[in-house]
Amino acid sequence: MSTILIDGQWRSSVNGQTIEVINPCDNKSFTTISRGTSADIDLAVAAAQRALDGAWGRMTATERGRILMKFGELIIKNAEEIALIEARDTGKPMTVARNDIVAVARYFEFYGSAADKIHGQQIPYLNGYNVQVVRVPHGVTAHIIPWNYPAQMFGRTLAPALAMGNAAVLKPSEDACLSGIRLAQLAMEAGLPPGALNVVTGYGYEAGAALTAHPGINFATFTGSPEVGVMVQESTAKNAVPCVLELGGKSPQIVFNDVDMDKAVPIIVKAITQNAGQTCSAGSRLLIQQDIYETFVGRVAEAFKKVKVGTPEMDLDCGPIVNAKQFARVKGFIDQAVASGVPLLARGVLADGVSPEGYFVAPALFGAVPRDHQLACKEVFGPVLAAMPFSDEEDAVRLANATEFGLVSGVWTENGSRQQRMAQRLHSGQVFINCYGAGGGVELPFGGMKRSGHGREKGFLALEEFSTTKTVVLHHG
Ligand code: NAD
């Protein structure tokens, strides 16, 4: 399949090479994608620059918004087809894939309708001067996204960038990019001019590295692992190009002794098992106040035992891990924890009939996990929950903030003053109180503190992040 989009044309890679696409449910190849390299990136960046110099650059914000909203409509119209592609590529349950596609459409509706609602400023200055601060696109923007929510990430990263008039080059993950290919076809159908959106499939170390190091880009946004995020920042820094990094997390769910248990348990279980735990904002640490520890962890264990893992068609609670490397990594964490004597409190179940060749992992609940154990601080990126007791509010804050990450926190308490204090003291980009919205909500600014990254996507803040300002000083006497 020719999966590279440059200047509105679908093409094979310059070197003609391809990459096999593996079904995580049975470890079998079912199609190929083009293996783009630096030669393809050069062409894509040049096409994006031409779009900025041409029709796309001249388009009004209202016209851009209209195209994005039309794109949103086309996504909804083709939702079932895209959901099937997404489920096959990632292994996720059909219901989840369907929800993801509705979310992608929402990104284009939200930012399409916001495109002409971002205003500049006029600044009072010296007599005889008119000073305006206008918001302008960065120019050519580079977008590197991971495999866990490929369709949603496509919308999250591209919708605000295109709304602000940037011309984008997307390098989706080599592990899951098929929904992105179909979405890009629909973007063309919606009327996006050639070159406004370019897609280069390929490996991260080839196409991805070439894109972030390219002297022709003006901005980069990366979602993925902290290790690669640092490499992206280094390479963009060499060209003095700003970048947004959305990296991993080890998000705490902090449960106080006045929690509404019936409400909390299902949400906490879903927040770590949804998408087989392959969610950057998964609630992967369960911190429970000592005096209710046994009762609460027992309730969570009962719920964990009912979590079922299967194929997209079985449409259960979660699917497989995305690839062999991640599968080995997740199993490694579980095996190491068991070997080092951390109590394994509960496991979910693999459905009858799943292939032994697939990358299926039964969700695992561990507790009480020692505070210095790797399960307490390292990101697993799989369905593994680490429960730990804490004594009081002070201890809860210390423990919650004790990792190198700071993406999302969940707080469970009915005490209003404590809700406020906790929200203030937690070091994370989002705090949910008596709810948990891993991944959801296009309206809500999202991003990390500490090693979870910097910069914000989603919400109106993304429109500011994906643009810059120009101060125009006019002397009229
Ligand atoms: P990854 O960092 O290996 O890959 C992410 C993307 O970067 C892929 O498209 C890959 O091809 C590309 N890439 C790899 N090497 C590159 C390089 N040298 N230069 C440029 N691009 C390169 O991560 P992954 O395995 O795909 O995803 C899992 C990780 O991503 C987890 O750690 C998870 O926490 C994180 N993640 C974060 C968020 C978030 O929003 N914060 C969302 C999803 C995943």
Side-chain angles (χ1 to χ4, degrees):
M1 191 158 64
S2 296
T3 56
I4 294 180
L5 174 67
I6 294 174
D7 237 344
Q9 301 295 318
W10 289 96
R11 42 190 297 170
S12 305
S13 58
V14 169
N15 65 18
Q17 292 183 4
T18 57
I19 300 172
E20 300 284 329
V21 178
I22 308 293
N23 181 349
C25 290
D26 60 14
N27 192 18
K28 292 199 173 83
S29 162
F30 64 95
T31 186
T32 59
I33 55 167
S34 305
R35 179 174 173 177
T37 60
S38 60
D40 304 276
I41 292 293
D42 286 345
L43 295 174
V45 172
Q49 189 57 54
R50 278 197 300 278
L52 287 172
D53 298 337
W56 180 241
R58 285 194 297 272
M59 211 174 258
T60 64
T62 309
E63 287 170 316
R64 286 199 305 270
R66 217 172 264 145
I67 292 171
L68 297 189
M69 285 190 281
K70 168 107 187 286
F71 182 22
E73 270 172 40
L74 286 177
I75 295 171
I76 293 290
K77 229 185 233 169
N78 293 275
E80 189 62 16
E81 182 208 344
I82 310 169
L84 279 163
I85 294 172
E86 185 79 330
R88 176 128 201 234
D89 212 7
T90 61
K92 62 179 72 187
M94 272 309 294
T95 300
V96 178
R98 287 189 183 108
N99 291 342
D100 284 1
I101 305 312
V102 174
V104 193
R106 181 85 187 103
Y107 278 107
F108 288 98
E109 288 163 4
F110 182 85
Y111 288 111
S113 57
D116 56 4
K117 292 166 191 71
I118 288 287
H119 299 161
Q121 295 172 336
Q122 190 175 37
I123 296 186
Y125 189 52
L126 305 173
N127 282 340
Y129 285 83
N130 184 2
V131 180
Q132 296 165 333
V133 181
V134 288
R135 208 152 255 291
V136 292
H138 287 291
V140 176
T141 52
H143 305 254
I144 299 199
I145 57 174
W147 41 259
N148 54 350
Y149 292 90
Q152 278 209 51
M153 294 288 165
F154 179 103
R156 188 174 100 183
T157 190
L158 291 174
L162 295 172
M164 294 311 287
N166 298 284
V169 180
L170 172 73
K171 208 302 281 173
S173 170
E174 57 273 37
D175 285 309
C177 61
L178 302 182
S179 60
I181 306 303
R182 183 68 187 114
L183 285 163
Q185 289 168 353
L186 293 175
M188 295 297 107
E189 206 178 310
L192 212 55
L197 168 61
N198 306 276
V199 181
V200 180
T201 53
Y203 289 118
Y205 66 88
E206 290 181 337
L211 177 58
T212 54
H214 202 287
I217 65 165
N218 306 108
F219 174 86
T221 170
F222 169 84
T223 300
S225 59
E227 296 71 26
V228 176
V230 169
M231 289 161 69
V232 167
Q233 184 153 359
E234 280 171 356
S235 98
T236 52
K238 288 193 180 127
N239 289 320
V241 165
C243 71
V244 165
L245 300 180
E246 301 279 9
L247 310 176
K250 188 73 185 175
S251 298
Q253 298 271 16
I254 308 155
V255 181
F256 286 94
N257 58 12
D258 60 344
V259 60
D260 177 342
M261 292 199 195
D262 291 340
K263 184 176 174 190
V265 170
I267 297 176
I268 286 171
V269 172
K270 190 167 173 208
I272 184 63
T273 55
Q274 154 183 312
N275 214 42
Q278 304 167 111
T279 306
C280 50
S281 50
S284 53
R285 288 185 297 150
L286 177 56
L287 317 184
I288 308 169
Q289 197 156 16
Q290 183 71 62
D291 49 352
I292 59 157
Y293 181 82
E294 293 301 334
T295 314
F296 193 82
V297 90
R299 295 268 308 257
V300 174
E302 284 315 306
F304 241 73
K305 287 178 195 159
K306 295 188 187 126
V307 177
K308 283 196 145 183
V309 186
T311 62
E313 307 75 49
M314 293 173 181
D315 206 17
L316 303 170
D317 299 302
C318 54
I321 300 297
V322 76
N323 61 24
K325 185 174 137 223
Q326 287 293 122
F327 179 60
R329 182 181 144 85
V330 173
K331 277 193 12 183
F333 268 101
I334 295 173
D335 293 347
Q336 195 280 337
V338 171
S340 62
V342 182
L344 178 54
L345 304 181
R347 293 215 69 171
V349 280
L350 302 192
D352 291 340
V354 298
S355 165
E357 304 299 316
Y359 310 135
F360 298 96
V361 171
L365 170 67
F366 286 94
V369 176
R371 291 184 179 197
D372 58 353
H373 192 274
Q374 63 166 357
L375 268 194
C377 40
K378 293 258 177 299
E379 182 180 51
V380 178
F381 222 58
V384 180
L385 182 57
M388 286 168 267
F390 66 83
S391 54
D392 56 15
E393 199 174 305
E394 206 52 41
D395 192 32
V397 170
R398 194 179 315 121
L399 187 53
N401 289 337
T403 74
E404 59 183 1
F405 296 107
L407 195 56
V408 176
S409 307
V411 180
W412 298 88
T413 176
E414 296 295 312
N415 179 326
S417 306
R418 184 152 61 195
Q419 291 168 355
Q420 292 294 333
R421 286 193 299 272
M422 291 299 290
Q424 211 170 63
R425 297 183 69 191
L426 291 168
H427 298 156
S428 60
Q430 288 187 331
V431 178
F432 287 93
I433 298 164
N434 293 338
C435 58
Y436 199 81
V442 54
E443 303 86 351
L444 314 178
F446 177 74
M449 294 182 179
K450 304 195 282 184
R451 266 178 76 86
S452 289
H454 51 74
R456 294 292 174 262
E457 293 189 332
K458 302 170 65 163
F460 259 57
L461 286 186
L463 295 169
E464 293 180 13
E465 196 79 64
F466 285 66
S467 60
T468 185
T469 60
K470 185 186 283 180
T471 306
V472 182
V473 184
L474 185 145
H475 183 220
H476 52 73

